[in-house]
Amino acid sequence: MNAPRPSSSDTHLHYRGGKSCVTKDNVGFLVKLVNLSLNRALDQEMVALDLTAMQWRPMISIYNGTADTPAELARLAGVDTSAMTRTLDRLEAKGLLRRTRSHEDRRIIKIELTETGKEKGQQIPPCVDRVLNQHLRGFSVEEVAQLRHLLRRMLANGSFDLPAALSE
């Protein structure tokens, strides 16, 4: 992420005077509303797969190879490891994943999808695609590319480091 960082001499402030929290045009509030809308729609899509939001997200991370330990999954989800462990317990009880000790370091638990989990993992992306396409209806290809660029710049300005697997 090579987005420019604002300098201390940046005089173009978008919010000032303390009124940013009370306006319906607050960017942070709008981003939050979009996030809530996406999550609600994704939850509805995942019902058909018998997965909750807390369950399908680690499943797709494992399926895509972006994470394979409880600690990595917890970090990506923004939850503590005990909450992720409970989620993994539920997914394991459904027969969707299995945990094994790392051969290199016995203290590390590795997670892999079962065959059933892989089949379910294949079904998740089309659900996500439907929800994103619904929310991006009427946007041009260029507008979607610009939106991605702008959101990445906001993340960079906020000093949020995307995991390497998600940065490109």
Side-chain angles (χ1 to χ4, degrees):
M1 296 191 336
N2 297 328
R5 295 229 182 249
S7 70
S8 58
S9 64
D10 238 346
T11 57
H12 188 73
L13 300 176
H14 297 284
Y15 294 100
R16 60 180 91 185
K19 296 180 182 177
S20 63
C21 294
V22 294
T23 175
K24 65 180 186 268
D25 291 327
N26 173 289
V27 171
F29 183 64
L30 292 170
V31 168
K32 177 71 172 175
L33 290 178
V34 169
N35 186 46
L36 288 171
S37 181
L38 284 167
N39 284 333
R40 192 174 316 119
L42 285 164
D43 282 346
Q44 291 170 354
E45 276 289 323
M46 296 301 161
V47 167
L49 300 180
D50 189 32
L51 294 173
T52 66
M54 191 62 189
Q55 292 171 348
W56 75 263
R57 286 184 172 95
M59 289 270 308
I60 199 64
S61 294
I62 299 164
Y63 182 79
N64 287 334
T66 55
D68 68 352
T69 67
E72 290 171 334
L73 290 166
R75 201 170 19 262
L76 278 174
V79 299
D80 62 49
T81 53
S82 58
M84 184 54 64
T85 297
R86 289 188 297 275
T87 297
L88 296 175
D89 288 344
R90 290 181 191 104
L91 290 169
E92 193 170 37
K94 289 182 176 187
L96 300 175
L97 62 81
R98 68 176 130 312
R99 293 177 260 202
T100 58
R101 295 238 174 241
S102 168
H103 298 293
E104 295 82 34
D105 186 341
R106 301 281 300 152
R107 296 170 295 177
I108 297 174
I109 302 293
K110 293 290 191 173
I111 302 166
E112 62 185 14
L113 297 178
T114 62
E115 285 306 312
T116 304
K118 289 176 188 173
E119 290 170 14
K120 194 151 305 221
Q122 287 177 331
Q123 297 172 44
I124 295 171
C127 294
V128 174
D129 290 350
R130 279 191 293 276
V131 169
L132 289 173
N133 284 328
Q134 174 190 354
H135 280 74
L136 294 169
R137 198 175 43 232
F139 285 59
S140 69
V141 172
E142 295 80 16
E143 287 171 326
V144 173
Q146 183 180 27
L147 177 61
R148 278 191 198 104
H149 173 75
L150 295 172
L151 290 170
R152 287 180 190 279
R153 278 180 56 193
M154 283 182 73
L155 288 169
N157 288 343
S159 300
F160 181 82
D161 292 325
L162 285 174
L166 302 176
S167 63
E168 290 302 319

